Amino acid sequence: MTLPRQIPVGARVVVRVTEGVDPADGRMKFRDYVGHVTAWDGYTLEMVRDAAANGSRPAQNITIHQEQIATLKPVPERPKAPARP
């Protein structure tokens, strides 16, 4: 995959990273991260991973190296949910 030279700070992206081959089934395993870019120098992507929508995971600072990235795509912002009573 050809990665972009520049990614604007604040852009919301989904990044699929490789986690290696599962020894049990021999298949490549992946993990997806969705969040907002804080820095990209062409080699290292720094982002704030979105908190889980159900509240099970807080936002996290993530660093991903370019050799781990399988795909990288822009995604739209989450819709603003109305406040619960």
Side-chain angles (χ1 to χ4, degrees), residues 24-65:
D25 63 14
R27 295 173 55 185
M28 180 62 80
K29 298 300 176 186
F30 301 93
R31 181 176 305 263
D32 292 343
Y33 295 96
V34 177
H36 292 86
V37 174
T38 56
W40 168 247
D41 63 7
Y43 301 101
T44 303
L45 176 66
E46 294 183 21
M47 62 187 284
V48 177
R49 183 181 188 189
D50 290 353
N54 66 5
S56 64
R57 184 192 67 245
Q60 300 172 288
N61 291 324
I62 302 286
T63 300
I64 302 170
H65 300 285

Side-chain angles (χ1 to χ4, degrees), residues 1 3 13-21 28-34 40 43 45 47 49 62-73:
M1 167 181 195
L3 295 171
V13 296
V14 60
V15 182
R16 177 163 285 175
V17 299
T18 57
E19 296 226 319
V21 176
M28 180 62 80
K29 298 300 176 186
F30 301 93
R31 181 176 305 263
D32 292 343
Y33 295 96
V34 177
W40 168 247
Y43 301 101
L45 176 66
M47 62 187 284
R49 183 181 188 189
I62 302 286
T63 300
I64 302 170
H65 300 285
Q66 59 96 16
E67 63 270 3
Q68 296 173 282
I69 299 173
T71 61
L72 184 141
K73 298 179 186 177

